[in-house]
C-alpha cells in the first residue's frame, strides 16, 4: 500500500493528503470547517496549529482524504478543510493529541468579532464535494458562528440535497 503524504497543488495552493478516491466506503463521512475574516495574527496562529494537526493526520487510521485551502484578500484570510473518514474514526482523532489542543486554543483565537466560522459533518453518500461545493454546503447547512456568537446549528444535507452536478 502506498504511503499517503501531504502534497501542494501548484494551480491553487491547496494542500492534499492522499488521492481523491473514485469510490468511497458506504460508511464514509465528510467533515468540513471554514473560518473567514481572520486577521494576520489569527492566520499565523492558524498556520501553526494546522501544521500540528497535519502531522497528527498522517498517523490517523480511517482518514481517507483531506484538503486544506487558505486565501488572503485585503489583509483578511480564510481557511477551509475537507476531511473524508471511513466510518466513525474522526471522533478518536478529534478528541486527542494535537487536534484536541488546537480545538480548545483555536476556539479562543477564531471566535472573535471579526470572524465567521462554519462546521459540518455529514454522510458522504459516495461523493466528495469540490472546494467550491464544500463552501456552499457549509454556508447553507453548517453550524455558524458570526462574531463569536452561535447563529445557527448544523443541519446536515440529506442524500438528495447533497449531489454534485
Amino acid at each position: 500500500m502506498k504511503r499517503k503524504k501531504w502534497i501542494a497543488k501548484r494551480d491553487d495552493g491547496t494542500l492534499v493528503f492522499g488521492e481523491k478516491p473514485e469510490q468511497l466506503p458506504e460508511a464514509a463521512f465528510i467533515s468540513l470547517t471554514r473560518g473567514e475574516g481572520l486577521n494576520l495574527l489569527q492566520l499565523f496562529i492558524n498556520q501553526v496549529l494546522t501544521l500540528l494537526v497535519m502531522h497528527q493526520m498522517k498517523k490517523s487510521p480511517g482518514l481517507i482524504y483531506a484538503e486544506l485551502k487558505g486565501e488572503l484578500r485585503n489583509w483578511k484570510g480564510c481557511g477551509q478543510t475537507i476531511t473524508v473518514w471511513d466510518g466513525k474514526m474522526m471522533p478518536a482523532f478529534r478528541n486527542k493529541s494535537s487536534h484536541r489542543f488546537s480545538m480548545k486554543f483555536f476556539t479562543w483565537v477564531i471566535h472573535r468579532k471579526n470572524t465567521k466560522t462554519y462546521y459540518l459533518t455529514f454522510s458522504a453518500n459516495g461523493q466528495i464535494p469540490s472546494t467550491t461545493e464544500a463552501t456552499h454546503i457549509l454556508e447553507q447547512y453548517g453550524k455558524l458562528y458570526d462574531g463569536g456568537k452561535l447563529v445557527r446549528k448544523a443541519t446536515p444535507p440529506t442524500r438528495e440535497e447533497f449531489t454534485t452536478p
Side-chain angles (χ1 to χ4, degrees), residues 46-121:
N46 177 54
Q47 182 63 30
V48 170
L49 295 175
T50 298
L51 290 171
L52 291 171
V53 173
M54 286 171 64
H55 183 70
Q56 181 186 351
M57 287 174 139
K58 289 169 105 174
K59 304 174 189 176
S60 298
L63 179 62
I64 297 170
Y65 178 76
E67 283 183 14
L68 305 175
K69 181 163 175 77
E71 297 177 55
L72 180 63
R73 292 186 186 154
N74 300 326
W75 299 100
K76 294 291 181 181
C78 76
Q80 182 169 293
T81 64
I82 300 172
T83 54
V84 183
W85 297 86
D86 186 4
K88 297 291 182 183
M89 300 297 287
M90 188 194 177
F93 163 79
R94 181 189 63 213
N95 296 334
K96 69 177 188 179
S97 195
S98 299
H99 194 275
R100 181 180 179 172
F101 170 79
S102 294
M103 280 191 333
K104 289 182 179 193
F105 186 75
F106 196 59
T107 299
W108 169 76
V109 172
I110 198 167
H111 288 181
R112 308 297 249 175
K113 291 181 179 180
N114 61 311
T115 63
K116 278 188 182 180
T117 52
Y118 301 87
Y119 307 94
L120 182 64
T121 301

Side-chain angles (χ1 to χ4, degrees), residues 18 20 34 36 43 61 68 87 93 96 109 120 126 129 133 137 143 146 149 153 158 165:
K20 202 170 199 175
R34 181 173 177 84
E36 299 175 347
L43 285 172
L68 305 175
F93 163 79
K96 69 177 188 179
V109 172
L120 182 64
E133 291 168 332
I137 290 167
K143 183 179 191 178
D146 190 353
K149 297 191 186 321
K153 292 184 178 183
T158 65

Side-chain angles (χ1 to χ4, degrees), residues 144-156:
L144 169 62
Y145 286 89
D146 190 353
K149 297 191 186 321
L150 178 64
V151 173
R152 177 185 70 218
K153 292 184 178 183
T155 56

